Amino acid sequence: MKNNIFVVIIFIYLSFIIGHLSLVHADYVLPYPSYMPGNKLYKVSRIIDQVKKFWYWGSIAGVKYHLGLSDKYLVEAKTLFEYKQYLLATDALRRSDTEYIEIPQFIVRAKVEGKDITLLEKTVKEAAQTHIQILDGFKQTVPAEFTWTPEKTTPTILPIGNLIETSINIRGQK
């Protein structure tokens, strides 16, 4: 009787472990926010981001570099939108788009070079889905248009809704 119970417990335990091994799949995770505008090191981090471009000169490294910066600037935009810093947030969102637009050319270059990039393409697709989820969330919390009125200068109309749609379309292409 004890042997039967022991065998059943081991069977249940092993089936539980094997079942979870086949179900393990990590979602694409965005980075923690870096230095934000207003921090003394923010400009330094932006300069370092640009200098890193010369370090990541290969096709695969180029994909990772531009995807990383796109992620970083999207997280920056998300944080700034949460704090209603719409002017800075739209700038960060544009930078994220600019970096994301660079990715396809590096993927094409890697394919021409004959590299197996199936895993990298999967990562880019997961990143695009994650980005689109965040951008869709912006639609619920951010005004479609905002008039930014700084002191002693003319107001600027920020077409936030259009920018978000453009960002979603950019990420939907790849």
Side-chain angles (χ1 to χ4, degrees):
M1 180 71 176
K2 288 182 181 180
N3 288 342
N4 289 342
I5 293 174
F6 182 71
V7 170
V8 169
I9 291 173
I10 289 178
F11 178 74
I12 292 172
Y13 179 73
L14 288 176
S15 63
F16 178 75
I17 288 175
I18 291 170
H20 279 297
L21 289 178
S22 63
L23 296 176
V24 172
H25 173 33
D27 289 334
Y28 189 79
V29 178
L30 292 173
Y32 187 78
S34 183
Y35 298 111
M36 300 300 286
N39 187 306
K40 293 176 184 178
L41 297 175
Y42 180 73
K43 289 182 182 180
V44 174
S45 74
R46 293 280 310 275
I47 291 169
I48 290 171
D49 287 343
Q50 295 305 312
V51 170
K52 284 182 182 178
K53 179 186 284 188
F54 300 107
W55 183 258
Y56 295 97
W57 50 270
S59 55
I60 292 175
V63 172
K64 292 178 181 179
Y65 168 76
H66 289 288
L67 183 59
L69 285 182
S70 180
D71 290 347
K72 177 181 177 178
Y73 296 141
L74 181 66
V75 169
E76 181 180 318
K78 180 180 184 298
T79 304
L80 291 166
F81 276 134
E82 288 171 357
Y83 285 98
K84 298 183 182 356
Q85 296 293 317
Y86 299 126
L87 184 65
L88 296 171
T90 54
D91 179 50
L93 186 57
R94 285 185 183 113
R95 280 186 274 123
S96 177
D97 292 346
T98 301
E99 295 299 333
Y100 195 88
I101 288 171
E102 296 293 321
I103 294 171
Q105 71 178 342
F106 287 98
I107 289 176
V108 168
R109 196 167 92 187
K111 286 181 181 178
V112 168
E113 293 169 356
K115 297 178 180 175
D116 180 20
I117 57 166
T118 53
L119 187 59
L120 190 59
E121 285 180 309
K122 182 180 175 188
T123 301
V124 170
K125 286 179 184 177
E126 289 175 358
Q129 291 172 350
T130 302
H131 287 203
I132 290 170
Q133 287 175 347
I134 289 174
L135 292 164
D136 280 335
F138 290 165
K139 290 181 185 179
Q140 311 302 320
T141 58
V142 176
E145 189 173 275
F146 184 79
T147 304
W148 184 265
T149 311
E151 291 182 23
K152 300 180 183 178
T153 57
T154 58
T156 304
I157 297 174
L158 302 173
I160 299 171
N162 292 342
L163 289 172
I164 293 170
E165 284 302 320
T166 301
S167 296
I168 290 171
N169 290 336
I170 288 170
R171 284 151 177 88
Q173 292 173 358
K174 187 65 184 157

